[in-house]
Structure formats: structure tokens, C-alpha cells
Amino acid sequence: MDMTNKTPGHELVLVREFDAPRENVYKAWTTPELMKVWFCPEPWKVTEADLDLRAGGRCNIVMEGPNGEVIPNRGVYLELVENEKLVVTDAFTEGWVPTDKPFMVATVLLEELPGGRTRYTARALHWTEEDKKAHEEMGFHEGWGKAADQLAALLARM
């Protein structure tokens, strides 16, 4: 579902095209060991990726920074369509337990292109415009862009 017109001011979007089939992009999003390779921009790293790949299943990722920062991201999958779509939110944790401060719903769309290529669209839909602005200030464009570059490098090796 395209929420762009329904949520003005709340959405951030990153679009890339990869020289890889969408099956590989989906695999990179759903395999914990592969997520550790690309998911957050270096010098940050993913130290834990605990995934239960089903609607309502956990998507728990721990990121660590170069100065010892630890940022846990706990959430649940709302929807998974193999090789096409992933939707995850931090509004809930496993068992549909609401979180203290929901921040966003992330949607990843994978569109098959000619020649075994994939159009990758990552959307971050925030609860408020303030949350969107905070995400931009945290470096959404640079960080998600660098992670997408790291994903492209991983896909080239797969």
C-alpha cells in the first residue's frame, strides 16, 4: 500500500537499483549473518540479528558503535511477502507487546527489473513529523544510503 499521499511530512524514502535478483536482496534482509555484513553503516556494526520471519514474529537487531554505543532495535514483522516485501515496526515487540515510544514502520519493496536487476525502495513511515525530523537529523539519508551501498557490495559477492 502506498502511504505517500496519506501521510504528508511523515515519510522518508530511499530508492536504489541493484544488479542482483530480488531473491538475493530478500535473502540479505532475512538472513541474520548477512544482515550483520551490511545493515548499518560502518564503522557501526550489527552484533545481533534475532529474526522470526512471520507476521508477528520478532525482528530484534542490536547495533554497536565505534565508541561502545549500543542501540537495540526491537520490533515485529507486520508483513512478509517472499522476495517482494517486508514490513516491520518498533511499535510492538514479540507477542504484540506495545513499546514505550513507537517511532516508525519500515517497508522494503523489491521490484523485479529486466536483466535480473532489482528496484529497492525502503520507506520509513513515522508517527509524527517530529519523529521524521529526528530521523533525518540522526542521518537517515546518509546512513540508510551507506547501508544500501554496503548491501550492493554484498550482493555483488553473492
Side-chain angles (χ1 to χ4, degrees):
M1 177 187 319
D2 183 74
M3 300 291 290
T4 305
N5 295 329
K6 297 177 183 174
T7 57
H10 293 214
E11 185 177 54
L12 296 170
V13 179
L14 174 79
V15 178
R16 292 284 176 89
E17 290 187 7
F18 295 130
D19 289 321
R22 63 185 183 164
E23 294 81 9
N24 288 3
V25 182
Y26 189 84
K27 183 178 180 182
W29 265 94
T30 57
T31 306
E33 291 309 311
L34 294 178
M35 287 189 83
K36 290 178 181 180
V37 173
W38 72 270
F39 186 75
C40 62
E42 295 176 349
W44 286 73
K45 61 184 176 180
V46 171
T47 56
E48 182 181 333
D50 181 18
L51 312 177
D52 180 8
L53 299 168
R54 61 183 176 85
R58 73 188 160 282
C59 179
N60 296 338
I61 297 168
V62 177
M63 297 184 291
E64 291 188 14
N67 299 313
E69 309 92 333
V70 177
I71 299 179
N73 293 285
R74 296 179 56 208
V76 296
Y77 291 103
L78 299 175
E79 182 179 10
L80 292 115
V81 179
E82 189 172 1
N83 302 325
E84 293 181 23
K85 183 178 187 181
L86 297 107
V87 183
V88 64
T89 185
D90 63 356
F92 300 97
T93 60
E94 190 172 20
W96 298 108
V97 176
T99 60
D100 293 338
K101 171 68 173 87
F103 185 65
M104 72 173 178
V105 174
T107 301
V108 174
L109 300 173
L110 306 175
E111 180 184 349
E112 189 173 0
L113 298 175
R117 295 174 45 86
T118 301
R119 178 173 294 119
Y120 170 85
T121 304
R123 288 187 164 98
L125 181 60
H126 303 85
W127 261 255
T128 67
E129 191 167 340
E130 292 75 28
D131 285 344
K132 175 199 166 200
K133 287 179 184 175
H135 202 179
E136 283 179 308
E137 290 170 6
M138 282 188 266
F140 168 84
H141 298 287
E142 179 183 345
W144 283 39
K146 189 171 182 183
D149 292 343
Q150 292 168 183
L151 175 56
L154 171 65
L155 292 168
R157 296 190 305 267
M158 289 175 71

